[in-house]
């Protein structure tokens, strides 16, 4: 018997799919985009034919929804996951601005602390007894508790986790080190308090930065880097900062960046003019800010603490990855050996 004739007889026995059938099939189709595709079986039980038939009816509509959604889909939707990667740095920053605008700002209540956790890659230079420079690339866990209220102490905690290079362990592994920042005569404001006064209109943000730095793109970029790192507590400002960065001359797209935590991402970069390239790194799927890094674009000489020089190779990286930002009711227990400094004004 002809296979097409047999298939026609089979479909003739299947009742037409109702709107209820189609609704369930649409949900099943969409859910498949968020989990691994199962292996196809070599045979399909007859009791599942009706479901497959309904999915076939809705497939065209599903494709149309996907195609329409490519321009501005949110995370975890089919259109978002099928969208082509951004074509250039400006496109990436615009996507990052949209992602940041969708995030709520962190607004601590009185008495609360903003707790930020980061992972940093740092270069360590020291010299042995014979005067030879010893170098290591150190991975450091960084935590900061910043008071919501002006006039309250802050806490910074660091711990070396690992290192590569000849520098001996005792030079970087000091256990957990605390620095308590005590209120000064001219109390410095917490990052969120400083940034809360900033506008979120990109033109106004740019004007505010230019008033401090001038119009030179590299100086604006350097200011943006610091502000972006602080604005993890205020994504609404981050969105404006990304739009300002999108208008700078000299920015380029780096399609294969990796942050200090090993997370792959896309980066927007600018040549610093001194043999380094500084980057802002964003998640490949959500376009959320992951962190920053500086990459050597050539071998370059760097000064050691003793005044000597060391050659850092092309491709050497320093950077910081943001792991978490949350609110806590107070400071953790502080080490009795903690260093104490004044909060900068």
């Amino acid at each position: 018997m002809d296979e097409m004739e047999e298939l026609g007889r089979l479909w003739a026995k299947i009742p037409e799919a109702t709107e209820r059938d189609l609704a369930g099939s649409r949900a099943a189709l969409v859910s498949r985009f968020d989990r691994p595709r199962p292996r196809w079986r070599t045979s399909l039980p007859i009791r599942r034919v009706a479901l497959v038939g309904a999915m076939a009816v809705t497939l065209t509509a599903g494709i149309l929804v996907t195609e329409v959604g490519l321009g501005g889909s949110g995370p975890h939707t089919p259109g978002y996951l099928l969208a082509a990667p951004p074509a250039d740095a400006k496109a990436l920053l615009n996507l990052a601005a949209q992602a940041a605008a969708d995030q709520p700002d962190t607004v601590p209540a009185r008495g609360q602390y903003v707790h930020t956790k980061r992972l940093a890659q740092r270069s360590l230079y020291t010299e042995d007894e014979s005067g030879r420079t010893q170098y290591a690339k150190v991975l450091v866990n960084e935590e900061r508790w910043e008071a919501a209220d002006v006039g309250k102490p802050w806490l910074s905690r660091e711990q070396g986790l690992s290192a590569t290079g000849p520098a001996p362990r005792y030079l970087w592994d000091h256990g957990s080190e605390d620095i308590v920042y005590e209120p000064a005569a001219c109390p410095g404001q917490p990052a969120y308090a400083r940034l809360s006064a900033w506008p979120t209109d990109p033109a106004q943000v740019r004007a505010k930065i230019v008033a401090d730095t001038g119009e030179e793109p590299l100086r604006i970029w350097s200011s943006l880097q610091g502000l972006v790192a602080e604005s993890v507590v205020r994504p609404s400002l981050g969105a404006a900062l990304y739009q300002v960065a999108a208008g700078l001359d000299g920015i380029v797209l780096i399609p294969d960046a990796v942050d200090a935590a090993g997370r792959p991402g896309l980066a927007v970069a600018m040549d610093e003019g001194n043999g380094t390239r500084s980057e802002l790194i964003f998640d490949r799927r959500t376009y959320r800010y992951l962190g920053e890094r500086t990459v050597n674009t050539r071998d370059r000489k760097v000064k050691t603490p003793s005044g000597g020089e060391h050659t850092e190779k092309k491709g050497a990286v320093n950077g910081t990855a943001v792991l978490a930002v949350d609110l806590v009711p107070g400071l953790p227990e502080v080490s009795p050996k903690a260093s104490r400094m004044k909060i900068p004004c």
Side-chain angles (χ1 to χ4, degrees):
M1 182 181 294
D2 182 76
E3 292 181 356
M4 294 304 296
E5 181 181 348
E6 178 64 18
L7 184 61
R9 292 179 56 196
L10 178 62
W11 287 122
K13 298 178 182 180
I14 303 301
E16 183 176 353
T18 66
E19 180 63 24
R20 184 176 180 180
D21 292 330
L22 297 181
S25 300
R26 292 189 187 99
L29 179 63
V30 170
S31 69
R32 295 181 67 86
F33 285 91
D34 281 331
R35 64 176 186 266
R37 184 185 298 274
R39 291 185 177 180
W40 293 109
R41 297 185 178 181
T42 54
S43 61
L44 189 64
I46 295 298
R47 63 178 179 274
R48 296 187 181 178
V49 171
L51 174 61
V52 175
M55 289 181 68
V57 173
T58 60
L59 183 57
T60 301
I63 292 175
L64 290 175
V65 170
T66 297
E67 290 178 347
V68 170
L70 290 180
S73 301
H76 311 304
T77 64
Y80 187 92
L81 296 177
L82 292 181
D88 53 31
K90 182 176 181 178
L92 173 55
L93 286 165
N94 286 332
L95 288 167
Q98 180 181 337
D102 291 338
Q103 300 176 54
D105 288 349
T106 301
V107 183
R110 290 187 63 84
Q112 286 188 314
Y113 280 73
V114 178
H115 173 224
T116 307
K117 188 173 182 179
R118 292 180 168 88
L119 199 63
Q121 291 173 311
R122 298 180 186 168
S123 296
L124 172 68
Y125 300 98
T126 186
E127 293 181 351
D128 60 20
E129 295 179 353
S130 64
R132 291 176 300 181
T133 298
Q134 293 181 314
Y135 163 82
K137 184 67 69 176
V138 184
L139 194 64
V140 180
N141 184 61
E142 299 180 339
E143 291 185 87
R144 183 181 177 92
W145 291 262
E146 195 169 293
D149 304 318
V150 175
K152 293 292 184 69
W154 306 348
L155 173 64
S156 175
R157 176 171 292 167
E158 297 186 356
Q159 182 175 8
L161 301 178
S162 63
T164 56
R169 188 181 187 96
Y170 75 86
L171 290 174
W172 59 265
D173 187 2
H174 305 132
S176 182
E177 296 183 290
D178 287 356
I179 302 177
V180 177
Y181 291 87
E182 298 175 328
C186 50
Q189 291 184 328
Y192 89 89
R194 293 195 307 276
L195 299 178
S196 66
W198 279 67
T200 56
D201 176 73
Q204 294 178 2
V205 169
R206 189 183 191 283
K208 190 172 176 65
I209 294 174
V210 168
D212 292 331
T213 67
E215 292 279 359
E216 205 279 314
L218 184 56
R219 292 177 63 86
I220 296 175
W221 172 258
S222 297
S223 180
L224 282 169
Q225 285 181 285
L227 289 166
V228 165
E230 285 191 318
S231 68
V232 292
V233 301
R234 194 185 176 201
S236 60
L237 175 58
L241 294 170
Y242 301 144
Q243 289 176 288
V244 173
L248 294 178
D249 293 333
I251 56 171
V252 296
L253 176 69
I254 306 297
D256 56 356
V258 178
D259 74 0
R263 298 174 297 189
L266 304 167
V268 174
M270 183 175 283
D271 192 326
E272 297 280 350
N274 61 354
T276 66
R277 180 184 70 230
S278 54
E279 304 177 355
L280 300 177
I281 308 173
F282 301 92
D283 185 274
R284 285 181 176 275
R285 291 182 66 244
T286 66
Y287 303 116
R288 291 189 178 184
Y289 176 72
L290 296 180
E292 53 78 30
R293 70 176 186 173
T294 301
V295 182
N296 284 1
T297 56
R298 56 172 171 79
D299 291 354
R300 56 191 296 268
K301 299 285 187 181
V302 296
K303 294 289 185 182
T304 63
S306 63
E309 285 188 340
H310 175 75
T311 300
E312 271 194 353
K313 297 295 184 181
K314 179 180 179 179
V317 176
N318 290 307
T320 305
V322 178
L323 302 181
V325 180
D326 58 6
L327 297 176
V328 295
L331 293 176
E333 183 177 352
V334 178
S335 167
K337 298 181 179 179
S339 302
R340 295 188 178 272
M341 301 179 65
K342 292 295 183 181
I343 296 175
C345 295

